[in-house]
Amino acid sequence: MDMSSREIRMPLSEVVAVLQDLNEFVVSLDRLGSRQASGTADEYTVGTFIADWDVARRVARARGIISVALDAQLSDEENAEIDALCDQGRFYGTANANSSS
């Protein structure tokens, strides 16, 4: 499947909700990284952020929003190809996700 020219439509309200979450995470993680570099934050601080801000659930919701749009607009074969590509990602705790530390 040539994905370079494909377009997927999504309700603007859902796109904005996903962007708001992602923006909060990117800015907050950047600030946490800066604090770690300066020695004013550690792994516990990052873990607290992830737990307190419900990052896992919010990112899963964003993935679900995008998945619903893909499922509704692509064929089963196209969705299977995207699923296979996603399965090739790097996942924490697996051999192909080498730590950068």
Side-chain angles (χ1 to χ4, degrees):
M1 166 180 58
D2 178 21
M3 289 186 268
S4 62
S5 63
R6 296 295 301 262
E7 293 184 15
I8 300 296
R9 296 174 83 53
M10 295 174 55
L12 182 58
S13 61
E14 292 180 359
V15 172
V16 170
V18 168
L19 285 175
Q20 285 174 319
D21 281 348
L22 293 176
N23 189 55
E24 286 181 16
F25 301 148
V26 168
V27 171
S28 297
L29 289 169
D30 181 61
R31 290 179 181 171
L32 283 166
S34 295
R35 287 186 56 197
Q36 280 185 308
S38 70
T40 60
D42 58 14
E43 292 82 10
Y44 176 78
T45 308
V46 175
T48 300
F49 163 74
I50 290 171
D52 289 353
W53 286 49
D54 204 12
V55 173
R57 184 195 58 78
R58 291 168 66 190
V59 171
R61 182 179 60 87
R63 181 182 61 186
I65 289 170
I66 294 168
S67 293
V68 165
L70 292 173
D71 288 346
Q73 297 173 57
L74 298 178
S75 69
D76 289 342
E77 294 80 21
E78 291 168 323
N79 277 304
E81 186 175 339
I82 291 171
D83 289 344
L85 290 171
C86 290
D87 287 343
Q88 296 173 14
R90 292 177 41 200
F91 303 100
Y92 182 82
T94 60
N96 67 336
N98 296 329
S99 174
S100 62
S101 51

